[in-house]
Amino acid sequence: MIYVIIGVALLFIIVPIIGVLPSARQKEQIKMRKSARTAGVSVELTTISDPNPHQDKYVSPTGKAIAPLLKVVGYRLQRKRARDWRQLPQVDWCLQKMPDKNWRWQLGPSDSMNTELIDWLNNAIEALPEDVEQVEEVSYNITVYWHEKTKGSETTLFDFLKHCADQALHAPSEDDAPG
């Protein structure tokens, strides 16, 4: 009988310890986020508006509407600003994946935005991992929101962020034109 009591006591000690250990998926996410920080990309757990808000999952069992928000991870890289960035117009943009898997401009492109950046975004957005939900730039911060489901796709994401940051944000002004 004493051995049964000792065995049960050990179970009460060991089971909670095992429950706290990260799963294989969590270990992979930790690895992806660590490589992001190494690459100079910040990582943030956040929520965004769901592009398909009319789903049954946004209704509680009592019939009350629930806010249509997606829990995602935001990988963010800050764009280097030009010397005269305070005199330039604010350029913010947002591309969001729709339920039909096509990308749509939610914000922008504005007249002040560089057309080369717009063309590059329209082409490069298709190379992102399938579970990316939204890409935006607000106040010189480029952010990619995704679910981190595709293992090994973080390098594609880092390349996208770095190439996007290398592109000129503002359209060339009349003063920049060769005379």
Side-chain angles (χ1 to χ4, degrees), residues 78-86 138-141:
Q78 187 166 10
R79 178 187 296 275
K80 291 184 180 166
R81 299 176 187 185
R83 287 182 179 237
D84 58 346
W85 67 274
R86 292 183 196 270
V138 177
S139 299
Y140 296 96
N141 288 301

Side-chain angles (χ1 to χ4, degrees), residues 10 17 32-33 48 61 74-75 77 84 87 90 94 99 111 114 117 123 133 135 146 155 163 168 173:
L10 285 174
I17 292 172
M32 291 166 69
R33 293 170 188 171
I48 59 171
Y75 280 65
L77 184 66
D84 58 346
Q87 286 80 33
Q90 177 91 14
C94 178
D111 295 338
N114 188 357
L117 175 61
N123 292 325
E133 294 290 337
V135 180
W146 69 317
T155 54
H163 284 89
S173 65

